[in-house]
Every structure is written in C-alpha cells, then in structure tokens.
C-alpha cells in the first residue's frame, strides 16, 4: 500500500498504522501520530486501518535549548 509519511511516499505491506510505522523504522519509538490530521493515540495504532493515499504525520519529542 502507498501512503505518505511526513510528506514522503511510503510503500509497505500491511493495512494498519502500526504496520506502517514499523515499515518506516519507528517500531516501538515514542512518537505522536496523526492520520489525515486526526490524532491517533499509541494504544489505537494497531487497530487503525489505513487506505491508499492516507497522510500520516509522526512527531518526535526534542530536547534542548
């Protein structure tokens, strides 16, 4: 399936947000996620289905000054 992760095309074999994140190398990383501008909590990623062309945003925490 082809989706867009942070504006970049991502092709992966799967159907859920959790599978897309794993394919993109995020695995168990602590990140915030949204699909088509709707926040998805970490506990709901495995049950969040994706459709071709969906837009996924991943935001990581940053520390520093």
């Amino acid at each position: 399936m082809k989706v867009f992760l942070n504006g970049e095309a991502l092709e992966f074999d799967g159907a859920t947000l959790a599978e897309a994140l794993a394919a993109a190398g995020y695995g168990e990383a602590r990140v915030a996620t949204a699909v088509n501008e709707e926040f998805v909590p970490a506990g709901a990623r495995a049950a969040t289905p994706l459709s071709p062309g969906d837009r996924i945003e991943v935001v990581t925490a940053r520390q520093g000054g």
Side-chain angles (χ1 to χ4, degrees):
M1 174 183 324
K2 182 178 179 180
V3 296
F4 295 90
L5 192 143
N6 291 347
E8 299 289 324
L10 172 69
E11 289 272 352
F12 73 103
D13 293 324
T16 67
L17 177 56
E19 292 167 320
L21 293 174
Y26 286 99
E28 297 296 318
R30 298 185 65 119
V31 296
T33 55
V35 175
N36 299 325
E37 300 180 7
E38 294 290 326
F39 173 72
V40 179
R45 293 176 188 155
T48 300
L50 296 176
S51 297
D54 277 350
R55 296 178 329 275
I56 302 166
E57 295 295 327
V58 177
V59 180
T60 59
R62 297 181 77 121
Q63 187 175 7

